[in-house]
Amino acid sequence: MGQKNSNPQLFPGDIVEYPRNKYFSHFAVYYGERDGVPYVAHLTCRDSDSKLLRFGRALRSEVKLDPLEMLGKKYKVSNMLDDAFTARDFHSVVKPAIEDMMGREVTFDILFHNSEHQATLFRYGVKKSEQIERIYEHIMPAWAKLFEEKKL
Protein backbone atom coordinates (compact mmCIF):
# COMPACT_ATOMS: atom_id res chain seq x y z
CA MET A 1 0.00 0.00 0.00
CA GLY A 2 3.00 2.29 -0.28
CA GLN A 3 3.34 2.82 3.46
CA LYS A 4 7.07 2.18 3.54
CA ASN A 5 9.43 4.99 2.76
CA SER A 6 10.34 4.17 -0.78
CA ASN A 7 11.60 7.72 -1.21
CA PRO A 8 8.49 9.00 -2.98
CA GLN A 9 9.06 12.17 -4.95
CA LEU A 10 7.89 15.09 -2.83
CA PHE A 11 6.95 18.55 -3.99
CA PRO A 12 6.55 21.57 -1.70
CA GLY A 13 2.95 21.63 -0.49
CA ASP A 14 2.41 17.85 -0.67
CA ILE A 15 0.69 16.28 2.33
CA VAL A 16 2.88 13.63 3.94
CA GLU A 17 1.15 10.87 5.93
CA TYR A 18 2.95 8.98 8.71
CA PRO A 19 0.96 5.90 9.83
CA ARG A 20 0.91 5.63 13.63
CA ASN A 21 -1.31 2.60 14.22
CA LYS A 22 -4.16 0.68 12.62
CA TYR A 23 -6.54 3.65 12.86
CA PHE A 24 -4.60 6.90 12.90
CA SER A 25 -1.85 8.70 11.04
CA HIS A 26 0.04 11.92 11.63
CA PHE A 27 0.04 14.46 8.79
CA ALA A 28 2.47 17.14 7.69
CA VAL A 29 3.08 19.36 4.68
CA TYR A 30 6.32 19.02 2.74
CA TYR A 31 8.16 22.32 3.09
CA GLY A 32 11.25 21.69 1.01
CA GLU A 33 14.95 21.40 1.75
CA ARG A 34 17.16 23.40 4.06
CA ASP A 35 20.88 22.72 3.72
CA GLY A 36 20.07 19.55 1.78
CA VAL A 37 17.72 18.19 4.48
CA PRO A 38 14.02 17.74 3.56
CA TYR A 39 11.62 19.37 6.05
CA VAL A 40 7.92 19.12 6.83
CA ALA A 41 5.61 21.50 8.69
CA HIS A 42 3.23 19.83 11.13
CA LEU A 43 0.96 20.50 14.08
CA THR A 44 2.50 19.09 17.21
CA CYS A 45 1.70 19.18 20.92
CA ARG A 46 4.13 20.88 23.28
CA ASP A 47 2.33 20.26 26.56
CA SER A 48 1.97 16.51 26.54
CA ASP A 49 4.55 13.79 26.71
CA SER A 50 1.87 11.14 26.90
CA LYS A 51 0.55 9.36 23.83
CA LEU A 52 -3.08 9.90 24.79
CA LEU A 53 -4.01 13.54 25.28
CA ARG A 54 -6.49 14.56 27.95
CA PHE A 55 -9.94 14.50 26.40
CA GLY A 56 -8.27 14.61 22.98
CA ARG A 57 -7.09 18.20 23.51
CA ALA A 58 -3.80 19.94 24.12
CA LEU A 59 -3.87 23.66 24.73
CA ARG A 60 -0.22 24.29 23.97
CA SER A 61 0.36 23.09 20.44
CA GLU A 62 2.18 24.67 17.55
CA VAL A 63 3.15 24.29 13.92
CA LYS A 64 6.81 23.25 13.69
CA LEU A 65 9.32 22.52 10.96
CA ASP A 66 11.09 19.21 11.45
CA PRO A 67 13.24 17.00 9.23
CA LEU A 68 11.07 14.69 7.12
CA GLU A 69 12.36 11.44 8.63
CA MET A 70 12.33 12.73 12.22
CA LEU A 71 8.60 12.04 12.25
CA GLY A 72 9.07 8.49 10.97
CA LYS A 73 10.80 6.40 8.37
CA LYS A 74 7.47 5.14 6.96
CA TYR A 75 5.50 7.79 5.10
CA LYS A 76 3.66 8.42 1.87
CA VAL A 77 2.34 11.34 -0.14
CA SER A 78 -1.34 11.70 0.64
CA ASN A 79 -2.90 14.56 -1.32
CA MET A 80 -6.28 13.01 -0.58
CA LEU A 81 -8.48 15.95 -1.55
CA ASP A 82 -6.93 16.81 -4.92
CA ASP A 83 -10.03 15.52 -6.73
CA ALA A 84 -12.34 17.77 -4.71
CA PHE A 85 -10.26 20.91 -4.06
CA THR A 86 -7.55 22.85 -5.84
CA ALA A 87 -4.18 22.83 -4.11
CA ARG A 88 -3.08 26.35 -3.23
CA ASP A 89 0.17 27.75 -4.59
CA PHE A 90 2.98 26.78 -2.23
CA HIS A 91 5.25 29.80 -2.61
CA SER A 92 2.61 32.56 -2.56
CA VAL A 93 0.07 31.06 -0.13
CA VAL A 94 1.11 27.89 1.73
CA LYS A 95 4.68 28.81 2.68
CA PRO A 96 3.68 32.25 4.08
CA ALA A 97 0.79 30.60 5.98
CA ILE A 98 3.17 28.05 7.52
CA GLU A 99 5.67 30.75 8.48
CA ASP A 100 2.87 32.86 9.97
CA MET A 101 1.69 29.95 12.14
CA MET A 102 5.12 28.95 13.45
CA GLY A 103 5.62 29.94 17.07
CA ARG A 104 1.93 30.66 17.68
CA GLU A 105 0.12 28.66 20.33
CA VAL A 106 -2.88 26.79 18.98
CA THR A 107 -5.21 24.25 20.53
CA PHE A 108 -4.85 20.71 19.24
CA ASP A 109 -8.19 18.91 19.28
CA ILE A 110 -8.41 15.34 18.00
CA LEU A 111 -11.92 15.90 16.60
CA PHE A 112 -11.78 19.50 15.37
CA HIS A 113 -8.16 20.54 14.84
CA ASN A 114 -5.68 17.70 14.48
CA SER A 115 -2.62 17.36 12.23
CA GLU A 116 -4.75 16.27 9.27
CA HIS A 117 -7.04 19.31 9.66
CA GLN A 118 -3.96 21.55 9.73
CA ALA A 119 -2.34 19.91 6.70
CA THR A 120 -5.49 20.17 4.56
CA LEU A 121 -5.99 23.75 5.71
CA PHE A 122 -2.50 24.63 4.49
CA ARG A 123 -2.78 22.77 1.16
CA TYR A 124 -6.42 23.43 0.22
CA GLY A 125 -7.64 26.18 2.53
CA VAL A 126 -10.17 23.66 3.90
CA LYS A 127 -10.09 21.94 7.31
CA LYS A 128 -10.88 18.28 6.78
CA SER A 129 -9.96 15.04 8.51
CA GLU A 130 -10.99 11.89 6.70
CA GLN A 131 -9.81 9.67 9.56
CA ILE A 132 -12.16 11.48 11.98
CA GLU A 133 -15.00 11.33 9.44
CA ARG A 134 -14.55 7.53 9.29
CA ILE A 135 -14.93 7.40 13.08
CA TYR A 136 -18.09 9.53 12.90
CA GLU A 137 -19.59 7.02 10.46
CA HIS A 138 -19.43 4.42 13.24
CA ILE A 139 -20.39 6.69 16.15
CA MET A 140 -23.34 8.55 14.64
CA PRO A 141 -25.66 5.54 14.15
CA ALA A 142 -25.15 4.56 17.80
CA TRP A 143 -25.77 8.15 18.95
CA ALA A 144 -28.90 8.46 16.77
CA LYS A 145 -30.53 5.60 18.67
CA LEU A 146 -29.62 7.20 22.01
CA PHE A 147 -31.09 10.54 20.84
CA GLU A 148 -34.32 8.82 19.77
CA GLU A 149 -34.58 7.17 23.18
CA LYS A 150 -33.77 10.54 24.82
CA LYS A 151 -30.78 9.02 26.60
CA LEU A 152 -28.31 11.46 25.13
Side-chain angles (χ1 to χ4, degrees):
M1 193 157 136
Q3 295 286 342
K4 286 193 174 185
N5 175 0
S6 57
N7 295 319
Q9 187 169 13
L10 296 169
F11 297 97
D14 279 345
I15 294 177
V16 181
E17 180 178 353
Y18 297 88
R20 293 297 187 231
N21 59 40
K22 184 176 171 182
Y23 304 103
F24 292 104
S25 293
H26 184 69
F27 293 85
V29 173
Y30 183 64
Y31 188 82
E33 290 189 4
R34 286 183 163 182
D35 299 322
V37 177
Y39 276 81
V40 292
H42 65 113
L43 181 64
T44 185
C45 302
R46 294 186 300 176
D47 65 347
S48 176
D49 292 329
S50 66
K51 289 189 177 195
L52 205 57
L53 305 170
R54 282 198 165 158
F55 307 108
R57 300 186 89 203
L59 299 178
R60 293 174 26 123
S61 299
E62 67 180 329
V63 171
K64 285 182 62 177
L65 281 182
D66 282 314
L68 173 75
E69 290 195 358
M70 188 177 119
L71 278 69
K73 301 261 188 246
K74 294 180 182 180
Y75 59 86
K76 66 178 182 175
V77 174
S78 188
N79 296 328
M80 71 286 271
L81 302 178
D82 277 4
D83 291 340
F85 299 98
T86 302
R88 303 187 311 167
D89 181 72
F90 179 78
H91 295 288
S92 66
V93 179
V94 179
K95 184 177 180 183
I98 289 169
E99 290 170 353
D100 184 57
M101 287 291 297
M102 288 187 340
R104 287 187 184 192
E105 277 193 10
V106 295
T107 299
F108 173 94
D109 186 298
I110 193 79
L111 297 177
F112 303 107
H113 194 81
N114 62 42
S115 65
E116 186 178 10
H117 288 113
Q118 187 67 61
T120 60
L121 185 59
F122 281 143
R123 181 170 175 84
Y124 306 107
V126 175
K127 269 174 83 167
K128 197 160 173 62
S129 176
E130 291 184 343
Q131 59 190 352
I132 296 302
E133 289 176 11
R134 283 192 300 273
I135 290 170
Y136 280 143
E137 287 176 14
H138 297 286
I139 292 172
M140 294 311 287
W143 284 1
K145 185 176 180 185
L146 292 173
F147 276 119
E148 286 173 15
E149 297 170 356
K150 298 188 187 319
K151 294 182 180 176
L152 188 62

